Amino acid sequence: QVQLVESGGGLVQAGGSLRLSCAASGSIFRINAMGWYRQAPGKQRELVASTTSGNSTNYTDSVKGRFTVSRDNAKNTVSLQMNNLKSEDTAVYYCNAAVIGFGLRAYDVWGRGTQVTVSS
């Protein structure tokens, strides 16, 4: 089994910064993509940012220039640095990883989520 544990959410004023971290543990042979999704009340879950094992990155348009995703392949961790936060960034943020386990079985793993609240 593989688990993702997130940390770093909280309450911040508009214009402030937060850093989210996510650590994967368990029977991991390799992790392909890792990233962050978010879900605001009444809205669908959306991709915020993702990174491949080769450190290529992808961002949703609304966070480009403000958020930075990074990963440490040796530690199986991914982080999301969020700057210049806006009220519309308020959501539950979920870590996601595309994991290849021992035996080469593929898993799509989700963390439990961490709340980010931006006050205006």
Side-chain angles (χ1 to χ4, degrees):
Q1 275 198 334
V2 178
Q3 290 184 324
L4 300 179
V5 178
E6 302 123 330
S7 61
L11 173 64
V12 65
Q13 288 188 331
S17 299
L18 282 174
R19 184 176 180 86
L20 306 182
S21 297
C22 173
S25 62
S27 300
I28 299 170
F29 175 71
R30 184 179 71 242
I31 300 178
N32 292 331
M34 294 188 83
W36 294 91
Y37 288 70
R38 67 186 179 188
Q39 188 166 19
K43 295 188 176 181
Q44 289 188 332
R45 190 173 297 189
E46 65 170 351
L47 173 68
V48 177
S50 64
T51 177
T52 67
S53 57
N55 287 315
S56 295
T57 57
N58 180 48
Y59 298 91
T60 191
D61 286 346
S62 63
V63 308
K64 287 179 180 177
R66 300 189 296 122
F67 291 11
T68 302
V69 64
S70 59
R71 66 187 282 177
D72 184 328
N73 290 327
K75 296 181 179 179
N76 291 329
T77 59
V78 64
S79 298
L80 184 68
Q81 178 66 41
M82 304 184 293
N83 297 328
N84 190 22
L85 282 158
K86 304 176 180 180
S87 57
E88 52 262 43
D89 295 318
T90 295
V92 178
Y93 284 69
Y94 296 90
C95 180
N96 174 261
V99 176
I100 306 297
F102 294 112
L104 302 183
R105 181 175 177 179
Y107 300 88
D108 188 33
V109 186
W110 292 90
R112 293 188 173 184
T114 185
Q115 177 71 45
V116 172
T117 303
V118 184
S119 63
S120 56

